[in-house]
Amino acid sequence: MKLILLGAPGAGKGTVAKQLMKLDGSAQISTGDILRGAVQAGSDLGKQAEAFMKAGDLVPDDLIMGIMEQRLQEPDCANGFLLDGFPRTIPQAEALKDLLKRINVDLDFAVEIDVSRDVILDRLTTRRTCVGCGAIYNVKSMPTKVEGVCDKCGDKVVQRDDETEEAISNRLDVYNEKTAPLVGFYSNENMLLTVSATSSEAVVEAIQDRLAS
Ligand code: ADP
Ligand code: ZN
């Protein structure tokens, strides 16, 4: 499957992507994970992205398109891909459309995961992420067995720099201003599936139904 996952920070894009990946081996591509990896590695890309990310602002479109142009042409994407956190602006969506045309790839559709702001705020402040493997936990609903230690890889599990209340509130504002218009963009292209999510399993099911129809 070749899908775009849209939704506010904390809507569950990453969780849904991981579940879909298990179904058919499609590659999960999270621009957030790629950027966090670059920051940790101290690469040029990381140095350019770091301050934007820490404040909860978007990284400039040209940096993101540079990453994605390469990433989408890696061999694992031939089976399918799940775009998690990209595109995030109308210019990125336009550039993606051109890129896919150029490399001769057809998208299935874009999925809007619709979750209320209250649920999102609660999720983000209680979310914890493994610095090693990216596994996601929640101090209330899905804690690690040992506090601060990843069940899967043993690395440190921390609150992300951009998950302070201030940065979260900025990320939600940025989402509403810059990313929410993509819902209209993909709807105009007749490529939108909206799911009001009660659980990630329900979202996965709605996606499978649409793919089968
Ligand atoms: P979330 O969806 O939980 O907000 P991500 O992990 O997708 O978080 O992204 C974290 C940060 O990385 C964003 O706040 C932004 O600074 C940067 N980022 C990720 N993807 C993009 C993108 N497509 N365009 C611009 N910035 C991005
Ligand atoms: Zn881990």
Side-chain angles (χ1 to χ4, degrees), residues 100-128:
L100 292 176
K101 199 183 274 173
R102 214 168 353 110
I103 63 177
N104 212 359
V105 169
D106 279 327
L107 272 182
D108 291 312
F109 49 87
V111 184
E112 178 199 10
I113 306 176
D114 191 18
V115 181
S116 78
R117 194 178 167 110
D118 289 353
V119 171
I120 281 178
L121 276 174
D122 186 56
R123 265 193 209 163
L124 289 181
T125 47
T126 53
R127 180 155 88 172
R128 299 293 181 269

Short mmCIF file of all heavy atoms in Angstrom, two decimals, residues 100-128:
data_model
loop_
_atom_site.label_atom_id
_atom_site.label_comp_id
_atom_site.label_asym_id
_atom_site.label_seq_id
_atom_site.Cartn_x
_atom_site.Cartn_y
_atom_site.Cartn_z
N LEU A 100 6.20 12.11 -7.43
CA LEU A 100 5.63 10.79 -7.69
C LEU A 100 5.36 10.60 -9.18
O LEU A 100 5.56 9.51 -9.73
CB LEU A 100 4.35 10.58 -6.88
CG LEU A 100 4.55 10.47 -5.36
CD1 LEU A 100 3.22 10.37 -4.64
CD2 LEU A 100 5.45 9.29 -4.99
N LYS A 101 4.94 11.67 -9.81
CA LYS A 101 4.70 11.60 -11.26
C LYS A 101 6.02 11.31 -11.97
O LYS A 101 6.10 10.44 -12.84
CB LYS A 101 4.10 12.93 -11.74
CG LYS A 101 3.40 12.82 -13.08
CD LYS A 101 2.89 14.17 -13.57
CE LYS A 101 1.51 14.52 -13.03
NZ LYS A 101 1.13 15.91 -13.39
N ARG A 102 7.07 12.02 -11.56
CA ARG A 102 8.39 11.87 -12.17
C ARG A 102 8.94 10.46 -12.01
O ARG A 102 9.56 9.91 -12.90
CB ARG A 102 9.34 12.89 -11.52
CG ARG A 102 10.37 13.43 -12.43
CD ARG A 102 11.15 14.64 -11.92
NE ARG A 102 10.77 15.27 -10.69
CZ ARG A 102 11.49 15.23 -9.55
NH1 ARG A 102 12.61 14.55 -9.48
NH2 ARG A 102 11.07 15.88 -8.47
N ILE A 103 8.74 9.86 -10.83
CA ILE A 103 9.30 8.52 -10.61
C ILE A 103 8.25 7.44 -10.88
O ILE A 103 8.47 6.26 -10.61
CB ILE A 103 9.94 8.37 -9.20
CG1 ILE A 103 8.90 8.54 -8.08
CG2 ILE A 103 11.09 9.35 -9.01
CD1 ILE A 103 9.46 8.32 -6.67
N ASN A 104 7.09 7.88 -11.40
CA ASN A 104 6.09 6.93 -11.89
C ASN A 104 5.50 6.04 -10.80
O ASN A 104 5.43 4.81 -10.94
CB ASN A 104 6.74 6.07 -12.98
CG ASN A 104 5.75 5.67 -14.03
OD1 ASN A 104 4.56 6.04 -13.93
ND2 ASN A 104 6.20 4.94 -15.03
N VAL A 105 5.09 6.67 -9.71
CA VAL A 105 4.51 5.94 -8.59
C VAL A 105 3.11 6.48 -8.34
O VAL A 105 2.90 7.69 -8.36
CB VAL A 105 5.39 6.13 -7.33
CG1 VAL A 105 4.68 5.62 -6.07
CG2 VAL A 105 6.74 5.44 -7.50
N ASP A 106 2.14 5.57 -8.12
CA ASP A 106 0.77 5.98 -7.80
C ASP A 106 0.47 5.81 -6.32
O ASP A 106 0.69 4.74 -5.77
CB ASP A 106 -0.24 5.10 -8.57
CG ASP A 106 -0.41 5.55 -9.99
OD1 ASP A 106 -0.31 6.77 -10.24
OD2 ASP A 106 -0.62 4.68 -10.86
N LEU A 107 -0.06 6.86 -5.71
CA LEU A 107 -0.53 6.76 -4.33
C LEU A 107 -1.87 6.06 -4.29
O LEU A 107 -2.66 6.21 -5.22
CB LEU A 107 -0.78 8.16 -3.78
CG LEU A 107 0.31 8.96 -3.12
CD1 LEU A 107 -0.30 10.27 -2.65
CD2 LEU A 107 0.90 8.19 -1.95
N ASP A 108 -2.15 5.33 -3.20
CA ASP A 108 -3.53 4.84 -3.01
C ASP A 108 -4.42 6.00 -2.56
O ASP A 108 -5.33 6.39 -3.24
CB ASP A 108 -3.56 3.70 -1.99
CG ASP A 108 -2.90 2.45 -2.55
OD1 ASP A 108 -3.23 2.08 -3.69
OD2 ASP A 108 -2.05 1.85 -1.87
N PHE A 109 -4.17 6.52 -1.37
CA PHE A 109 -4.94 7.65 -0.87
C PHE A 109 -4.29 8.23 0.38
O PHE A 109 -3.29 7.69 0.87
CB PHE A 109 -6.41 7.26 -0.59
CG PHE A 109 -6.59 6.02 0.23
CD1 PHE A 109 -6.60 6.06 1.61
CD2 PHE A 109 -6.76 4.78 -0.40
CE1 PHE A 109 -6.77 4.91 2.37
CE2 PHE A 109 -6.93 3.61 0.35
CZ PHE A 109 -6.94 3.69 1.74
N ALA A 110 -4.87 9.32 0.87
CA ALA A 110 -4.42 9.94 2.11
C ALA A 110 -5.45 9.65 3.19
O ALA A 110 -6.66 9.71 2.93
CB ALA A 110 -4.25 11.44 1.93
N VAL A 111 -5.00 9.33 4.39
CA VAL A 111 -5.89 9.03 5.50
C VAL A 111 -5.81 10.15 6.52
O VAL A 111 -4.72 10.48 6.99
CB VAL A 111 -5.46 7.73 6.21
CG1 VAL A 111 -6.45 7.36 7.31
CG2 VAL A 111 -5.28 6.59 5.22
N GLU A 112 -6.95 10.74 6.82
CA GLU A 112 -6.98 11.74 7.88
C GLU A 112 -7.44 11.07 9.17
O GLU A 112 -8.55 10.56 9.26
CB GLU A 112 -7.98 12.86 7.52
CG GLU A 112 -8.10 13.90 8.61
CD GLU A 112 -9.36 14.76 8.51
OE1 GLU A 112 -10.26 14.46 7.71
OE2 GLU A 112 -9.45 15.73 9.28
N ILE A 113 -6.57 11.04 10.15
CA ILE A 113 -6.93 10.47 11.46
C ILE A 113 -7.39 11.63 12.33
O ILE A 113 -6.61 12.51 12.67
CB ILE A 113 -5.72 9.75 12.10
CG1 ILE A 113 -5.14 8.72 11.13
CG2 ILE A 113 -6.14 9.09 13.41
CD1 ILE A 113 -3.88 8.04 11.63
N ASP A 114 -8.69 11.62 12.64
CA ASP A 114 -9.32 12.76 13.27
C ASP A 114 -9.51 12.48 14.77
O ASP A 114 -10.23 11.57 15.14
CB ASP A 114 -10.68 12.95 12.58
CG ASP A 114 -11.34 14.26 12.95
OD1 ASP A 114 -10.63 15.15 13.45
OD2 ASP A 114 -12.55 14.37 12.74
N VAL A 115 -8.81 13.23 15.60
CA VAL A 115 -8.87 13.01 17.05
C VAL A 115 -9.06 14.37 17.73
O VAL A 115 -8.49 15.36 17.28
CB VAL A 115 -7.56 12.37 17.56
CG1 VAL A 115 -7.60 12.12 19.05
CG2 VAL A 115 -7.27 11.07 16.84
N SER A 116 -9.84 14.42 18.81
CA SER A 116 -10.12 15.71 19.46
C SER A 116 -8.89 16.27 20.17
O SER A 116 -8.00 15.54 20.59
CB SER A 116 -11.27 15.57 20.46
OG SER A 116 -10.78 14.98 21.64
N ARG A 117 -8.86 17.60 20.27
CA ARG A 117 -7.71 18.29 20.86
C ARG A 117 -7.44 17.85 22.30
O ARG A 117 -6.28 17.73 22.72
CB ARG A 117 -7.95 19.81 20.78
CG ARG A 117 -6.69 20.61 21.06
CD ARG A 117 -6.92 22.12 20.93
NE ARG A 117 -5.78 22.82 21.51
CZ ARG A 117 -4.88 23.51 20.79
NH1 ARG A 117 -5.00 23.63 19.49
NH2 ARG A 117 -3.87 24.10 21.40
N ASP A 118 -8.51 17.58 23.06
CA ASP A 118 -8.34 17.14 24.46
C ASP A 118 -7.57 15.83 24.54
O ASP A 118 -6.65 15.67 25.35
CB ASP A 118 -9.71 16.89 25.12
CG ASP A 118 -10.44 18.18 25.38
OD1 ASP A 118 -9.83 19.25 25.15
OD2 ASP A 118 -11.62 18.12 25.78
N VAL A 119 -7.99 14.89 23.70
CA VAL A 119 -7.34 13.58 23.70
C VAL A 119 -5.88 13.74 23.32
O VAL A 119 -4.98 13.15 23.92
CB VAL A 119 -8.07 12.63 22.71
CG1 VAL A 119 -7.29 11.34 22.52
CG2 VAL A 119 -9.48 12.35 23.20
N ILE A 120 -5.64 14.59 22.33
CA ILE A 120 -4.27 14.79 21.84
C ILE A 120 -3.36 15.39 22.90
O ILE A 120 -2.25 14.92 23.13
CB ILE A 120 -4.32 15.67 20.58
CG1 ILE A 120 -4.74 14.77 19.42
CG2 ILE A 120 -3.01 16.34 20.32
CD1 ILE A 120 -4.89 15.48 18.14
N LEU A 121 -3.86 16.43 23.57
CA LEU A 121 -3.05 17.08 24.61
C LEU A 121 -2.69 16.09 25.70
O LEU A 121 -1.55 16.01 26.15
CB LEU A 121 -3.81 18.25 25.23
CG LEU A 121 -3.70 19.56 24.45
CD1 LEU A 121 -4.61 20.61 25.07
CD2 LEU A 121 -2.25 20.04 24.44
N ASP A 122 -3.68 15.29 26.11
CA ASP A 122 -3.43 14.31 27.15
C ASP A 122 -2.40 13.28 26.70
O ASP A 122 -1.46 12.96 27.41
CB ASP A 122 -4.76 13.63 27.51
CG ASP A 122 -4.58 12.70 28.69
OD1 ASP A 122 -4.11 13.19 29.74
OD2 ASP A 122 -4.86 11.49 28.56
N ARG A 123 -2.54 12.81 25.45
CA ARG A 123 -1.61 11.80 24.94
C ARG A 123 -0.18 12.31 24.85
O ARG A 123 0.76 11.62 25.17
CB ARG A 123 -2.02 11.44 23.51
CG ARG A 123 -2.89 10.24 23.46
CD ARG A 123 -2.97 9.81 22.04
NE ARG A 123 -4.23 9.16 21.82
CZ ARG A 123 -4.75 8.94 20.63
NH1 ARG A 123 -4.14 9.33 19.55
NH2 ARG A 123 -5.88 8.31 20.53
N LEU A 124 -0.04 13.54 24.35
CA LEU A 124 1.31 14.03 24.09
C LEU A 124 2.07 14.30 25.38
O LEU A 124 3.27 14.08 25.45
CB LEU A 124 1.27 15.30 23.24
CG LEU A 124 0.88 15.08 21.79
CD1 LEU A 124 0.89 16.40 21.05
CD2 LEU A 124 1.82 14.10 21.10
N THR A 125 1.37 14.79 26.41
CA THR A 125 2.10 15.09 27.64
C THR A 125 2.48 13.81 28.38
O THR A 125 3.38 13.82 29.19
CB THR A 125 1.28 16.01 28.57
OG1 THR A 125 -0.05 15.50 28.67
CG2 THR A 125 1.24 17.44 28.05
N THR A 126 1.80 12.70 28.07
CA THR A 126 2.12 11.44 28.76
C THR A 126 2.92 10.49 27.87
O THR A 126 3.25 9.39 28.29
CB THR A 126 0.82 10.74 29.23
OG1 THR A 126 -0.05 10.61 28.10
CG2 THR A 126 0.11 11.55 30.30
N ARG A 127 3.25 10.91 26.66
CA ARG A 127 3.96 10.05 25.72
C ARG A 127 5.46 10.00 26.06
O ARG A 127 6.05 11.00 26.42
CB ARG A 127 3.77 10.59 24.31
CG ARG A 127 4.47 9.78 23.24
CD ARG A 127 3.79 9.95 21.92
NE ARG A 127 4.31 11.09 21.17
CZ ARG A 127 3.97 11.34 19.90
NH1 ARG A 127 3.10 10.57 19.27
NH2 ARG A 127 4.48 12.38 19.28
N ARG A 128 6.06 8.84 25.91
CA ARG A 128 7.50 8.69 26.07
C ARG A 128 8.02 7.90 24.87
O ARG A 128 7.35 7.00 24.39
CB ARG A 128 7.83 7.92 27.37
CG ARG A 128 7.33 8.61 28.65
CD ARG A 128 8.06 9.93 28.95
NE ARG A 128 7.59 10.55 30.20
CZ ARG A 128 6.60 11.43 30.28
NH1 ARG A 128 5.95 11.79 29.19
NH2 ARG A 128 6.24 11.94 31.45
#
